[in-house]
Amino acid sequence: MAGGGFVSSGGNGDYEGKVTGFVIMTCMVAATGGLLFGYDIGISGGVTSMDEFLLKFFPNVYHKEKSMKNGGSQYCKFSDHLLQLFTSSLYVAALVSSFGASITTKALGRKISMLIGGLIFLIGAILNGVAMNLGVLILGRLLLGVGIGYANQSVPVYLSEMAPAKLRGALNVCFQMAVTIGILIANLVNYGTATMKKNGWRVSLVLAAVPAIIMTVGTVFLPDTPNSLIDRGQKEQAKAMLQKIRGTSNVDNEFEDLVIASDLSKQVASPWGNIMQRRYRPQLTVAILIPFFQQLTGINVINFYAPVLFKTLGFGDGAALMTAVITGVVNVVATLVAIFTVDKFGRRGLFLVGGTLMLVCQIAVGSLIGSVFGLDGHGQFSKVLGDVTLAIICVYVAAFAWSWGPLGWLVPSEVFPLEIRSAGQSINVSVNMFFTFVIGQLFLTMLCGMKFGLFFFFGGFVFIMTLYVFFFLPETKGVHIEEITKIWRSHWFWKNYVPAEETRV
């Protein structure tokens, strides 16, 4: 029998059960892992725009920015590799740790991985808050990255395995919702601490401990998923948990399919070698291309460097931080749209509409910046043009928040059969973290070199990825996670890679 190619006794995955308050609560607690990721994304851009922080750790950037107020290219005022390393170093650590998280997630369960992630992130937050030199600051960032690597590897898998198929999209999007809330909270914190006469940046950084504590304490009380319990030989506990989260004692069909999936996964000697097989080419492609495209949308230009970007456009210090708060609010509200529509309209529709709007916005922003700064970087946005640019960026953020933001995590987490799920999610996280690192490390340098053309560069990738979704990504709405292989068998292109379904013996 082909790995991952079983069919439920019901034949269509319509298992008995209801949406219980218990499963909603467990998924909401697990989704708080996104707070770690979101808070850190939002906080780094704010502190790097604070004069006290720059003067202490990056004095060259501080003096260059001040000197350029009297002239010089606005494109290059924040370009500095060490400053970018502060932002991007976290994602290198997240990339590496995601592979260790894969082993932990499979061997010890999703819950333990989330607990480890929260504890390590907590230590990193404390180190950042007390840092007296750049070395300790970067060490703290690296530990934050390890925590995020564990959380991002385990939380989406946990959510996909706990949620019933008809609600899997909405509950999984709660992870991205937590990310956007984390970004918004960080922007609000930065706006407040920027007014402090001393050590405002320390308060911003050490408050990252709060979401770490929330996730860590919450995880202690979470159950593990039935899939994970079965995979570790705890079948009685798994069945009892399945009955609890489905709100019915009649879970035999679903439980049987989970056991078969686990048995098949144990026949796989090496998930990492197995995922390279031809039959898993569709899933491997998703694990690589979805996170790659998600980062090449250019969204982290806004998430990481919003205050820096708005200062480049001529906004004052306080105004730049406030505009970051505005985009943060838009991000949260638009993610709510995804929660209420992803299981109604499906993944493809949100991807396509979001991608189209993002493309238009990237072209518009690039054109406006080019019209003001030109190639030499000299110029100043008027209040009207500044407000128009901010409005377009808000539309762009909204389009991302209901499409590539949540779906970039949801779709990869739900397309892998159990035997390659941990390996597949690790690839997804590692590719995401690698290109997050690349964008974080190179954006300010690219802005200096490519000028307004950088926004057309990102727009080109938005165009390509929208075509990819249209032609190569099937709809996964409402398909049970252990029956997802069927959608690849019926796809016009991927059916050439996935073997025909075999009959269960």
Side-chain angles (χ1 to χ4, degrees):
M1 178 176 174
F6 63 88
V7 180
S8 71
S9 298
N12 58 8
D14 291 329
Y15 306 118
E16 184 174 329
K18 58 185 179 180
V19 179
T20 63
F22 177 75
V23 75
I24 291 177
M25 287 303 300
T26 57
C27 287
M28 294 290 284
V29 172
T32 59
L35 288 174
L36 308 185
F37 196 24
Y39 187 87
D40 189 82
I41 288 173
I43 214 68
S44 57
V47 296
T48 53
S49 71
M50 295 181 186
D51 288 347
E52 184 187 7
F53 178 82
L54 291 176
L55 191 58
K56 183 173 183 61
F57 294 107
F58 307 98
N60 291 338
V61 178
Y62 173 82
H63 293 301
K64 182 170 66 172
E65 185 209 353
K66 298 306 177 187
S67 67
M68 283 189 176
K69 287 186 176 180
N70 300 319
S73 174
Q74 296 299 308
Y75 294 121
C76 302
K77 63 196 300 184
F78 288 98
S79 180
D80 182 87
H81 288 297
L82 274 180
L83 178 63
Q84 292 170 119
L85 181 63
F86 165 74
T87 298
S88 64
S89 58
L90 179 149
Y91 301 98
V92 174
L95 186 160
V96 175
S97 68
S98 66
F99 293 101
S102 170
I103 298 172
T104 305
T105 299
K106 186 169 181 62
L108 302 178
R110 288 61 166 145
K111 172 178 175 175
I112 296 298
S113 279
M114 289 189 286
L115 187 61
I116 291 172
L119 288 172
I120 296 177
F121 190 95
L122 177 59
I123 297 171
I126 295 171
L127 281 179
N128 268 182
V130 302
M132 297 302 296
N133 57 62
L134 187 58
V136 175
L137 188 72
I138 297 299
L139 175 61
R141 293 288 293 174
L142 292 174
L143 290 176
L144 293 176
V146 173
I148 285 176
Y150 268 83
N152 285 8
Q153 202 279 341
S154 53
V155 171
V157 172
Y158 183 95
L159 294 171
S160 289
E161 291 181 346
M162 288 293 280
K166 62 184 177 182
L167 203 62
R168 188 175 65 242
L171 290 178
N172 208 300
V173 170
C174 287
F175 175 76
Q176 180 65 19
M177 185 69 189
V179 173
T180 63
I181 291 173
I183 293 172
L184 175 59
I185 291 173
N187 290 335
L188 289 168
V189 168
N190 282 332
Y191 185 72
T193 58
T195 62
M196 295 174 62
K197 293 182 178 180
K198 191 174 182 181
N199 291 328
W201 63 270
R202 288 191 187 277
V203 176
S204 289
L205 293 179
V206 81
L207 282 179
V210 175
I213 291 171
I214 292 173
M215 176 184 170
T216 304
V217 174
T219 300
V220 170
F221 298 99
L222 286 181
D224 221 332
T225 68
N227 311 62
S228 180
L229 292 169
I230 292 171
D231 213 27
R232 290 179 283 131
Q234 302 174 35
K235 293 185 179 179
E236 291 184 6
Q237 297 94 317
K239 189 168 185 178
M241 181 53 59
L242 189 61
Q243 290 171 336
K244 188 172 185 179
I245 64 177
R246 297 295 182 254
T248 177
S249 60
N250 186 15
V251 296
D252 290 346
N253 288 346
E254 184 174 3
F255 181 73
E256 182 183 357
D257 282 340
L258 295 180
V259 170
I260 291 174
S262 178
D263 291 341
L264 287 170
S265 72
K266 291 174 182 177
Q267 296 173 16
V268 178
S270 172
W272 291 98
N274 205 54
I275 200 172
M276 299 300 172
Q277 294 180 14
R278 179 181 173 87
R279 71 177 64 193
Y280 297 119
R281 198 62 48 78
Q283 294 93 329
L284 180 62
T285 302
V286 166
I288 294 173
L289 288 185
I290 293 291
F292 167 76
F293 284 137
Q294 187 190 53
Q295 294 312 307
L296 269 295
T297 58
I299 186 61
N300 279 331
V301 171
I302 307 301
N303 288 338
F304 291 162
Y305 297 118
V308 170
L309 178 62
F310 289 124
K311 285 180 75 172
T312 297
L313 297 180
F315 290 81
D317 292 358
L321 289 169
M322 178 49 69
T323 54
V325 172
I326 293 171
T327 59
V329 171
V330 171
N331 204 1
V332 171
V333 173
T335 303
L336 284 172
V337 174
I339 290 177
F340 290 110
T341 60
V342 66
D343 288 314
K344 182 177 182 180
F345 299 115
R347 285 63 161 151
R348 278 172 50 85
L350 294 181
F351 266 134
L352 295 173
V353 173
T356 301
L357 276 174
M358 290 160 63
L359 174 60
V360 172
C361 290
Q362 287 283 22
I363 294 173
V365 171
S367 299
L368 282 171
I369 293 177
S371 69
V372 174
F373 290 148
L375 292 174
D376 59 9
H378 296 137
Q380 181 71 38
F381 268 74
S382 66
K383 185 181 186 305
V384 173
L385 273 183
D387 290 343
V388 169
T389 304
L390 174 60
I392 295 172
I393 288 175
C394 285
V395 173
Y396 166 81
V397 169
F400 177 86
W402 77 56
S403 61
W404 280 88
L407 302 184
W409 292 104
L410 167 61
V411 172
S413 74
E414 64 184 0
V415 299
F416 300 109
L418 185 60
E419 64 267 22
I420 60 169
R421 190 167 296 155
S422 290
Q425 184 64 8
S426 286
I427 293 173
N428 175 47
V429 172
S430 62
V431 173
N432 189 298
M433 293 300 105
F434 175 75
F435 284 101
T436 302
F437 161 75
V438 170
I439 296 301
Q441 183 63 34
L442 297 181
F443 166 67
L444 295 176
T445 301
M446 293 170 70
L447 179 62
C448 182
M450 298 176 68
K451 303 175 175 58
F452 63 88
L454 179 59
F455 295 90
F456 300 142
F457 170 81
F458 287 128
F461 278 100
V462 173
F463 177 72
I464 294 170
M465 72 194 198
T466 303
L467 291 180
Y468 163 73
V469 169
F470 184 80
F471 288 107
F472 297 106
L473 190 68
E475 181 58 66
T476 55
K477 180 190 73 170
V479 182
H480 189 270
I481 192 170
E482 301 303 348
E483 293 196 327
I484 211 78
T485 304
K486 294 166 66 175
I487 66 171
W488 303 111
R489 290 197 183 98
S490 60
H491 188 269
W492 71 273
F493 180 79
W494 296 119
K495 66 182 180 182
N496 299 311
Y497 291 85
V498 182
E501 185 175 4
E502 297 180 22
T503 304
R504 181 189 299 172
V505 178

